[in-house]
Amino acid sequence: MNGFKTTMLLAALTALFMALGFTIGGRGGMILALLFAVGMNVFTYWNADKIVLKMHGAREVDAASAPEFHGLVAGLAQRAQLPMPKVYIIDSPHPNAFATGRNPENAAVAATTGLLNLLDRDEIAGVMAHELAHVRNRDTLIMTMVATIAGAISMLANFGLFFRGGGDNRGAMLATILAVIVAPFAAMIVQMAISRTREYGADKGGAEISGNPRALASALAKLAQGAQRIPNPVAERNPAASQLYIVPGLSRGGDSLFSTHPDTGNRIAALEEMALAMGASAPLDMFAQPAPKVSADRPSALGMRPKPRRGSALDPNRRG
């Protein structure tokens, strides 16, 4: 059913793209729009992860450069019965995380240093389990592709006034208005509806993978507050990227039509209900192991030297 919905949504956006092409350039414009949409779908399918990671300046880490964080993700992937994804860290104070990739065999998860410094170990586990749930549910590809197509529709519509002829034709003028206003608005609605629906599913899956719904709920509360205080340059340049994160990359609240995520309070309430049903309020043993001691001269598990006032929750040299 999830695959069918994905196919239908992509087909709807492609049809919208073709309609815009016809409005702007007639039958020839429609054919060009179709070819462009197909080419864009194919390119995004094979390069979605690279596009997103490069856009964020993410750096890949492994068991040697970030043993605690990498090991945490490895344990979660094993619990989720997923192939080990590539693990990335983004040097940004904005606290957030996302997953990308065309399928579980080619997936990647990323977290910002802001997130790793803000949350404790169990909360980080909950967040990364949420991202792995997106991978398991095969959300990452469709979210990236829809964002790309929706952005292209908006771009095409913005040029509608420049390429549409017949200024004295009322029909042409109406078509232009539809191209410039209605089409990108419709694409935005579809994009946001996908994100809101799938975040609830990823919260549920993440709580099941980590076994600690309350840790994920606590992480969401901290991240929502932190994301509102600390700007996200990537989301400001490209608002469509906001739907990829665990909490909105831009400060938008509530379950409104224009929000990319469900209201954080509603998500936390759902996780609290799940915790009561599971009877799981304590962290799992696999996430409660003490971090190994290392030399103070060695970079932290995040590849950074520890800061005097606060270290990462996964930093062996963190000062409590």
Side-chain angles (χ1 to χ4, degrees):
M1 180 60 69
N2 195 35
F4 175 75
K5 290 180 179 179
T6 296
T7 302
M8 292 302 295
L9 285 168
L10 282 177
L13 285 176
T14 300
L16 184 58
F17 200 88
M18 292 173 61
L20 272 174
F22 180 80
T23 300
I24 295 172
R27 182 173 297 180
M30 181 179 67
I31 295 175
L32 288 176
L34 173 62
L35 294 175
F36 185 77
V38 171
M40 184 169 53
N41 285 343
V42 172
F43 178 81
T44 306
Y45 177 83
W46 290 105
N47 297 279
D49 55 341
K50 299 180 183 66
I51 294 171
V52 172
L53 293 167
K54 186 175 181 180
M55 180 170 59
H56 287 84
R59 56 185 173 89
E60 186 175 1
V61 297
D62 54 24
S65 58
E68 290 297 308
F69 183 47
H70 190 274
L72 185 66
V73 174
L76 290 166
Q78 185 176 15
R79 285 181 58 83
Q81 298 182 336
L82 287 170
M84 179 62 187
K86 293 182 179 180
V87 182
Y88 289 81
I89 289 177
I90 301 167
D91 294 309
S92 169
H94 178 84
N96 232 316
F98 63 84
T100 186
R102 63 183 180 271
N103 53 39
E105 290 73 30
N106 295 276
V109 294
T112 66
T113 51
L115 178 146
L116 296 172
N117 284 320
L118 177 66
L119 306 182
D120 65 30
R121 188 182 184 87
D122 298 316
E123 291 166 344
I124 295 173
V127 168
M128 302 318 295
H130 169 101
E131 299 307 334
L132 289 174
H134 273 310
V135 173
R136 189 172 65 181
N137 296 342
R138 296 181 180 268
D139 294 339
T140 53
L141 174 63
I142 180 61
M143 291 170 71
T144 304
M145 293 185 71
V146 167
T148 303
I149 296 174
I153 290 173
S154 298
M155 179 185 68
L156 180 63
N158 287 335
F159 284 100
L161 288 172
F162 297 99
F163 291 100
R164 182 67 186 179
D168 296 331
N169 189 312
R170 292 184 179 180
M173 181 59 67
L174 177 60
T176 301
I177 293 174
L178 291 174
V180 175
I181 298 177
V182 177
F185 181 75
M188 179 180 64
I189 291 174
V190 174
Q191 172 188 331
M192 293 176 179
I194 290 174
S195 181
R196 290 198 306 274
T197 301
R198 299 191 179 201
E199 287 305 316
Y200 280 117
D203 284 345
K204 182 176 183 293
E208 292 172 346
I209 294 169
S210 68
N212 195 344
R214 288 196 174 99
L216 177 55
S218 175
L220 289 176
K222 292 181 180 180
L223 291 174
Q225 293 177 1
Q228 288 181 352
R229 295 194 312 267
I230 303 171
N232 184 341
V234 175
E236 290 174 356
R237 292 193 303 267
N238 181 14
S242 185
Q243 65 156 338
L244 300 173
Y245 306 122
I246 186 170
V247 295
L250 296 173
S251 179
R252 301 287 187 273
D255 269 329
S256 70
L257 185 65
F258 301 99
S259 61
T260 59
H261 290 64
D263 179 72
T264 302
N266 292 339
R267 295 172 69 182
I268 292 173
L271 287 167
E272 287 292 342
E273 291 181 3
M274 188 175 180
L276 291 174
M278 292 173 61
S281 60
L284 297 176
D285 289 341
M286 65 175 291
F287 301 131
Q289 297 297 322
K293 299 294 182 181
V294 298
S295 168
D297 294 330
R298 177 183 171 183
S300 75
L302 301 180
M304 303 179 298
R305 297 197 178 277
K307 299 178 180 179
R309 62 180 180 86
R310 175 184 252 177
S312 163
L314 298 183
D315 187 346
N317 297 301
R318 184 185 183 190
R319 300 182 180 181

